[in-house]
Amino acid sequence: MDTSQYLEIFIDESKEHLQAMNEHLLQLEKDPENLSIVNEVFRSAHTLKGMSATMGYEDLANLTHKLENVLDAIRNQQISVTLDIMDTVFSSVDDLEAMVEDISAGGEGKRNVEAIVQKLLVIEQGEAAAALDVLDKPAGETILHYDEFERTVIDQSKEQGFSCVEINVSLRADCVLKAARVFMVFEVLEKCGEVIKTVPSSEQLEEEKFDETFTVTLITKETAADLQEKVKKVSEVEQVNVTEVGSLDEPEQHQPATEAVVQAAEVSVPAAIEQPKQPEAKKEEDKPKNAVSNKTIRVNIERLDILMNLFEELVIDRGRLESISSELNHTELNETVERMSRISGDLQNIILNMRMVPVETVFNRFPKLVRQLSRDLNKQIHLDIIGAETELDRTVIDEIGDPLVHLIRNAGDHGIEMPEDRLAKGKPAEGTIKLKAYHSGNHVFIEIEDDGAGINKDRVLKKALDKGIVTQEQSLGMTDRQIFELIMASGFSTAEVISDLSGRGVGLDVVKTTIESLGGSITIDSVEGSGSIFSIQLPLTLSIISVMLVEVEKEKYAVPLSSIIETAIVKKEEVLNAHNQQVIDFRGKVVPLLFLKDIFSVPHQEEDDRFYSIVIVRKGDKMAGLVVDSFIGQQEVVLKSLGNYLSSVFAISGATILGDGQVALIVDCNALIK
Amino acid sequence: MSEVTASAVKVIAFQLVDKEYALPVEQVYSIEKLMHITRVPGTVPFVKGVINLRGVVTPIIDLRSRFGLSDERVDDSTRIIIAALDDMEVGLIVDGANDVLDIPTDAIEPQPEVVGSLGDEYITGVAKLDKRLLIMLSLQKIFN
């Protein structure tokens, strides 16, 4: 079957199910007694198994199946949830994730899962082993055990005059097509009655995953001897034992399961069987979940991108129309253009909103990360997530995952202390990492706060001096914040012991560059002894931004409004000189002046102007004044890249197309302010 | 493909100062008239800037200064050839784009030892077609 057309859906849904499994497993760990959670996990695993088997990903299906067996045993209270078991289950989910990742990257979804499968089997069987002797009961007694539902079916059929038999079939050791024989046996049995249970499960029988014998429970009106005769007629069957199933009143708890109890829903014995609907019974126990479900449709992200591109064209034309109508000064045209601008403004909001994704999609993998982190580091860490519903543009979401992972690891590794140290300091043994996201203006802030050791200022400074990141002179005038930011300089690592997690000194500067490349910034606040806060400021969207257009000689530049504090016109006499640097006194602060003319080496004629037009921009709490020739005005523009050929140009973050069809360059204020 | 295409390459021929050059037609997206170029500061001198090519910001290379030829001279026949290599789209300023030609592969010879002042690293071969001499260019080398 050609399944390629379903691949995308498969990948999407698999990821959703894996995420659901992760979330529920974390819940389960906190609340091991709650079996309804296990049911949720089981359901996800089961769907995943079905899907991957249909799509032909054997390894995926196989591992999920083993996982399902363990979950089933937990659900049937044959295994109690322990930390070890949870670890194994989590790591098998990790493996599943890796396989799905591989598939979505175009791979085969193959992965060596022997070790983990072995572990799962050990869990599954280890618990059952204790009860093995019960299994080896002498023939003639009930060999199989039945769950409540199956017992009901058996009891009811007995009331209606049927008898229930267990048929133990042994195939010859040299049997080649075991599955075919099984099929033939089933065909015979189907004619005589109804198969309600098989051991091993029907799927395993189909896949020939059994030795020579298997057992079938049949509800029939035929006699045992007749059945034996009929089954024996199938070639290569060596031995057939038929046992009547007696009263089934025995309590369930001492019934072991080497094999997971086969769910009615998943039994698909070759011959069609009228299966009782167990899922219904299962549903009743479920708490109503997802009661609030929004009506949504899945839209391919590519289509949204195309829509966005088309809209960007529209924004460019809107700019052109606006400039034409203001030139013509025709009342009716003006009105129409104005209305069109308003409508397209609304449209812009809607389209941008459609691309907004809650940060939850990034945050939801962190609880597991922190769990792993605390296990690896032997620390007790609690993760608090606040504001997971905060929305961000998809393009930003795609990029911030890795930086956040790094910051969280960093907080766990370097921030949170060992439990005994914490207790000694009078803090609770369990450390807290708080992950908080919120909107403010045109920005989204994400804060990673820990209540750990904080940053040792002197040690950071000493290290930075040792490594030559700053000079002695530079270090004297540095604020606390500037010192903390040194830990994000490349080639810096304060960890005395290099751990597996962080501390290779390559991470934090990468974090910083990634965030800055997204047009964001990161600041660090820390109080030694009581913790640190890393706060990341990100733009809401990357594609349409508000800019201030300025003119330098004949060239037009766009300065992002987000970095502008205000504009000013200053008399030349007011410009002061501070060692090689022209500065102005702006509202009591000394602001250095940057002449865009010189920075961008604009060809210019000498012209004497008594005033400077200045755009005051900021980066963090540092400011600078960009000297331009004139201000043109404020405009919404579409951010475009300069193309792959000109990938990195100093102090230019991109380009935009103006209303007159010309290209204007966007000034990167972050690069201008050191 | 037919035999004709197997033994011939289709090229766009263009004029630069006094010589004719050629680029394989698959590498050429379009030919544009000269339009407003926005200078991009801090780039190599032969990058003239960027243009708005139907909504796509496209960088422009001046082939004259790339090849170290005489200063630019703009007239009515000046054209921008939009060429693409891998995922890079770049415009090349030329003195005039005049022809689409089929060059038989056997007419293409390796670059002779000395051809004018142009460094031979940009050249993949020379094609002789009747009385015309076409210099085949390598985009890869021009872009670098």
Side-chain angles (χ1 to χ4, degrees), chain A residues 335-352:
Chain A
E335 273 173 22
T336 320
V337 168
E338 226 166 77
R339 212 167 52 229
M340 209 198 86
S341 303
R342 255 204 313 277
I343 293 172
S344 67
D346 291 347
L347 199 58
Q348 176 176 330
N349 280 338
I350 290 172
I351 294 178
L352 287 181

Tab-separated table of all heavy atoms in Angstrom, chain A residues 335-352:
chain	number	residue	atom	x	y	z
A	335	GLU	N	-9.943	58.781	0.884
A	335	GLU	CA	-10.859	58.038	1.770
A	335	GLU	C	-10.785	56.545	1.490
A	335	GLU	O	-10.704	55.733	2.404
A	335	GLU	CB	-12.292	58.525	1.553
A	335	GLU	CG	-12.630	59.728	2.414
A	335	GLU	CD	-13.984	60.297	2.047
A	335	GLU	OE1	-14.807	59.552	1.472
A	335	GLU	OE2	-14.204	61.483	2.337
A	336	THR	N	-10.822	56.211	0.186
A	336	THR	CA	-10.795	54.793	-0.170
A	336	THR	C	-9.503	54.137	0.299
A	336	THR	O	-9.514	53.048	0.875
A	336	THR	CB	-10.909	54.618	-1.701
A	336	THR	OG1	-11.861	55.556	-2.166
A	336	THR	CG2	-11.309	53.229	-2.061
A	337	VAL	N	-8.421	54.830	0.049
A	337	VAL	CA	-7.132	54.269	0.445
A	337	VAL	C	-7.063	54.102	1.956
A	337	VAL	O	-6.579	53.092	2.466
A	337	VAL	CB	-5.973	55.154	-0.068
A	337	VAL	CG1	-4.660	54.737	0.581
A	337	VAL	CG2	-5.874	55.072	-1.567
A	338	GLU	N	-7.611	55.096	2.645
A	338	GLU	CA	-7.584	55.019	4.101
A	338	GLU	C	-8.359	53.802	4.593
A	338	GLU	O	-7.910	53.073	5.474
A	338	GLU	CB	-8.222	56.275	4.677
A	338	GLU	CG	-7.424	56.890	5.809
A	338	GLU	CD	-7.929	58.274	6.092
A	338	GLU	OE1	-8.991	58.365	6.739
A	338	GLU	OE2	-7.307	59.258	5.635
A	339	ARG	N	-9.551	53.604	3.964
A	339	ARG	CA	-10.355	52.472	4.397
A	339	ARG	C	-9.651	51.154	4.067
A	339	ARG	O	-9.642	50.219	4.852
A	339	ARG	CB	-11.737	52.521	3.755
A	339	ARG	CG	-12.764	51.926	4.690
A	339	ARG	CD	-14.189	52.165	4.330
A	339	ARG	NE	-14.530	51.815	2.976
A	339	ARG	CZ	-15.197	52.626	2.143
A	339	ARG	NH1	-15.553	53.819	2.544
A	339	ARG	NH2	-15.499	52.243	0.925
A	340	MET	N	-9.059	51.135	2.896
A	340	MET	CA	-8.351	49.926	2.511
A	340	MET	C	-7.199	49.636	3.489
A	340	MET	O	-6.951	48.495	3.860
A	340	MET	CB	-7.805	50.081	1.097
A	340	MET	CG	-7.696	48.760	0.382
A	340	MET	SD	-6.604	48.897	-1.001
A	340	MET	CE	-5.060	48.613	-0.208
A	341	SER	N	-6.523	50.703	3.890
A	341	SER	CA	-5.426	50.520	4.840
A	341	SER	C	-5.934	49.925	6.142
A	341	SER	O	-5.303	49.052	6.726
A	341	SER	CB	-4.755	51.856	5.149
A	341	SER	OG	-4.304	52.440	3.977
A	342	ARG	N	-7.110	50.434	6.562
A	342	ARG	CA	-7.649	49.916	7.826
A	342	ARG	C	-7.991	48.446	7.706
A	342	ARG	O	-7.658	47.639	8.572
A	342	ARG	CB	-8.886	50.716	8.219
A	342	ARG	CG	-8.630	51.678	9.357
A	342	ARG	CD	-9.880	52.037	10.121
A	342	ARG	NE	-11.007	52.390	9.287
A	342	ARG	CZ	-11.210	53.610	8.762
A	342	ARG	NH1	-10.358	54.573	8.989
A	342	ARG	NH2	-12.271	53.852	8.013
A	343	ILE	N	-8.662	48.124	6.589
A	343	ILE	CA	-9.062	46.718	6.411
A	343	ILE	C	-7.831	45.828	6.320
A	343	ILE	O	-7.749	44.781	6.959
A	343	ILE	CB	-9.926	46.556	5.139
A	343	ILE	CG1	-11.252	47.273	5.358
A	343	ILE	CG2	-10.156	45.083	4.835
A	343	ILE	CD1	-12.098	47.348	4.119
A	344	SER	N	-6.866	46.283	5.553
A	344	SER	CA	-5.688	45.426	5.425
A	344	SER	C	-4.932	45.364	6.743
A	344	SER	O	-4.252	44.382	7.020
A	344	SER	CB	-4.792	45.884	4.279
A	344	SER	OG	-4.239	47.133	4.577
A	345	GLY	N	-5.076	46.405	7.551
A	345	GLY	CA	-4.483	46.360	8.886
A	345	GLY	C	-5.101	45.253	9.724
A	345	GLY	O	-4.407	44.489	10.399
A	346	ASP	N	-6.461	45.170	9.651
A	346	ASP	CA	-7.154	44.093	10.384
A	346	ASP	C	-6.732	42.734	9.850
A	346	ASP	O	-6.489	41.793	10.609
A	346	ASP	CB	-8.674	44.251	10.236
A	346	ASP	CG	-9.174	45.475	10.978
A	346	ASP	OD1	-8.393	46.027	11.789
A	346	ASP	OD2	-10.324	45.888	10.750
A	347	LEU	N	-6.678	42.679	8.538
A	347	LEU	CA	-6.288	41.428	7.884
A	347	LEU	C	-4.906	40.995	8.361
A	347	LEU	O	-4.645	39.830	8.655
A	347	LEU	CB	-6.273	41.661	6.368
A	347	LEU	CG	-6.327	40.445	5.474
A	347	LEU	CD1	-7.568	39.638	5.775
A	347	LEU	CD2	-6.325	40.883	4.017
A	348	GLN	N	-4.042	41.984	8.452
A	348	GLN	CA	-2.675	41.713	8.897
A	348	GLN	C	-2.674	41.090	10.286
A	348	GLN	O	-1.992	40.108	10.548
A	348	GLN	CB	-1.891	43.017	8.890
A	348	GLN	CG	-0.487	42.890	9.418
A	348	GLN	CD	0.262	44.210	9.292
A	348	GLN	OE1	-0.015	44.998	8.382
A	348	GLN	NE2	1.163	44.467	10.194
A	349	ASN	N	-3.500	41.686	11.174
A	349	ASN	CA	-3.580	41.131	12.530
A	349	ASN	C	-4.026	39.692	12.509
A	349	ASN	O	-3.487	38.848	13.215
A	349	ASN	CB	-4.569	41.951	13.371
A	349	ASN	CG	-3.921	43.214	13.872
A	349	ASN	OD1	-2.696	43.280	13.956
A	349	ASN	ND2	-4.723	44.210	14.166
A	350	ILE	N	-5.047	39.420	11.687
A	350	ILE	CA	-5.592	38.063	11.662
A	350	ILE	C	-4.556	37.081	11.119
A	350	ILE	O	-4.335	36.014	11.690
A	350	ILE	CB	-6.879	38.024	10.819
A	350	ILE	CG1	-7.977	38.773	11.564
A	350	ILE	CG2	-7.305	36.603	10.534
A	350	ILE	CD1	-9.228	38.974	10.774
A	351	ILE	N	-3.911	37.489	10.033
A	351	ILE	CA	-2.935	36.559	9.440
A	351	ILE	C	-1.774	36.322	10.396
A	351	ILE	O	-1.332	35.196	10.590
A	351	ILE	CB	-2.431	37.092	8.085
A	351	ILE	CG1	-3.579	37.093	7.097
A	351	ILE	CG2	-1.287	36.237	7.568
A	351	ILE	CD1	-3.235	37.636	5.746
A	352	LEU	N	-1.329	37.411	11.021
A	352	LEU	CA	-0.236	37.230	11.977
A	352	LEU	C	-0.688	36.339	13.127
A	352	LEU	O	0.066	35.502	13.608
A	352	LEU	CB	0.246	38.581	12.495
A	352	LEU	CG	1.051	39.403	11.503
A	352	LEU	CD1	1.497	40.701	12.133
A	352	LEU	CD2	2.259	38.629	11.010
